[in-house]
Amino acid sequence: MSDTLSLPIPVRFGVPQRQLFGLLHLPTAVASGRGVVLCQAFGQEAVRAHRMMRVLAERLSRQGHAVLRFDHFGAGDADGDDSDVELQGWGHDVLQADAELRQRSGVGDTVWMGMRLGAVAALLAARQAPATLRRLVLWDGIWDGRRYLEELRARHIDNIEEAFSLMPSPPPRTVARDPSALCGEALGYAISPALRAQLSDWPPAQGLWPAAPADIVVIVREDAHGADLRTALTADPQRVRVRTVHHDIDWTHDTADNTALVPTQALLALAQEVGAP
């Protein structure tokens, strides 16, 4: 194939009032006939994982897959503001990205790979998935929305205190004793009331896994919650496979931006699962 195909193609897509932005990586090897939609994380986590997602897209294209990595509405170069982010809308964005990828590349089936909040969006979208969806690959997903909000709030408070050379009065940690305080932002990104309410109710009481596809891969990090998570995810062992990888990157930490944060084990596991028969 021509070397020019190694460069991603910028695309805008979606309905006029909800335009999304993506980068299309076409195969640079013998085409596999499979497409991959990469669903980004939220806020600072997406910033930190940007290089990882780019390297993953390039590796998958070298394996013969067509890849679309895209910005959800309210994120990156897509339309909207971070205060517009909410889960149902992000799920709809995944469906739009899948349709765009299939139209532009002509692939026969697709795999959706979602990271963090992008994994939640992929799960929601899968409830309306086309028959061409072959597999879900969910990496470091949000499996407890309330815990996720608490972790974001705690890191946000730490970040505020670290930013001041002269501590304001009262200090942010004192203000944070009110559980309703400092809840509308996380590390520079707004958290809308709608998103907060949706995450507070995640996962849904009626069940986590969509009816399709038949193959769901959950890739989790070895951490303090790992054993409990693996136990919880065995609820549908016929369709859900759990794979553990090691990496020590804190995706919410805002230091060392733009550094080469590419955990090798995770990269290899993701590429392998996407390309599996």
Side-chain angles (χ1 to χ4, degrees), residues 212-252:
D215 191 12
I216 300 174
V217 183
V218 176
I219 297 181
V220 297
R221 183 170 62 179
E222 295 173 335
D223 60 14
H225 309 308
D228 293 340
L229 175 60
R230 287 192 293 275
T231 299
L233 294 182
T234 58
D236 194 349
Q238 299 302 314
R239 291 195 303 142
V240 181
R241 294 184 288 115
V242 180
R243 179 168 179 174
T244 302
V245 300
H246 171 75
H247 72 81
D248 56 3
I249 295 174
D250 181 351
W251 296 115
T252 63

Side-chain angles (χ1 to χ4, degrees), residues 14-244:
V15 296
Q17 66 272 26
R18 195 181 177 91
Q19 284 283 286
L20 309 175
F21 176 80
L23 290 168
L24 176 65
H25 299 252
L26 293 175
T28 59
V30 176
S32 68
R34 173 165 294 176
V36 184
V37 176
L38 297 184
C39 308
Q40 309 272 19
F42 169 73
Q44 187 62 228
E45 294 177 336
V47 175
R48 292 273 284 171
H50 178 270
R51 182 174 178 85
M52 171 66 181
M53 297 297 268
R54 193 194 82 188
V55 171
L56 176 61
E58 291 171 346
R59 174 163 296 210
L60 292 173
S61 72
R62 291 198 299 271
Q63 292 178 353
H65 309 306
V67 184
L68 179 63
R69 55 186 173 105
F70 77 101
D71 294 328
H72 297 268
F73 188 72
D77 292 310
D79 287 355
D81 187 75
D82 48 358
S83 60
D84 298 320
V85 173
E86 51 86 23
L87 295 181
Q88 297 298 331
W90 271 32
H92 181 267
D93 295 343
V94 177
L95 295 171
Q96 292 288 309
D98 181 83
E100 186 73 13
L101 174 61
R102 286 186 285 112
Q103 178 183 355
R104 287 181 175 269
S105 66
V107 295
D109 61 43
T110 56
V111 172
W112 298 349
M113 198 291 285
M115 177 189 177
R116 303 293 286 155
L117 203 63
V120 177
L123 274 170
L124 291 172
R127 296 174 181 176
Q128 306 175 57
T132 50
L133 178 61
R134 176 67 183 84
R135 178 177 296 119
L136 286 178
V137 180
L138 310 173
W139 177 37
D140 281 1
I142 306 302
W143 307 111
D144 185 332
R146 288 182 181 273
R147 177 188 288 166
Y148 179 60
L149 289 171
E150 290 169 359
E151 290 173 349
L152 286 181
R153 184 171 181 262
R155 180 52 55 83
H156 182 63
I157 293 166
D158 290 343
N159 185 260
I160 293 174
E161 291 198 336
E162 291 170 0
F164 287 106
S165 56
L166 294 175
M167 187 62 62
S169 182
R173 201 165 299 279
T174 300
V175 176
R177 292 173 184 169
D178 176 0
S180 65
L182 302 176
C183 290
E185 183 182 351
L187 300 169
Y189 291 85
I191 299 180
S192 69
L195 178 60
R196 177 166 294 279
Q198 290 169 331
L199 283 170
S200 295
D201 291 333
W202 181 263
Q206 66 270 27
L208 181 63
W209 308 118
D215 191 12
I216 300 174
V217 183
V218 176
I219 297 181
V220 297
R221 183 170 62 179
E222 295 173 335
D223 60 14
H225 309 308
D228 293 340
L229 175 60
R230 287 192 293 275
T231 299
L233 294 182
T234 58
D236 194 349
Q238 299 302 314
R239 291 195 303 142
V240 181
R241 294 184 288 115
V242 180
R243 179 168 179 174
T244 302

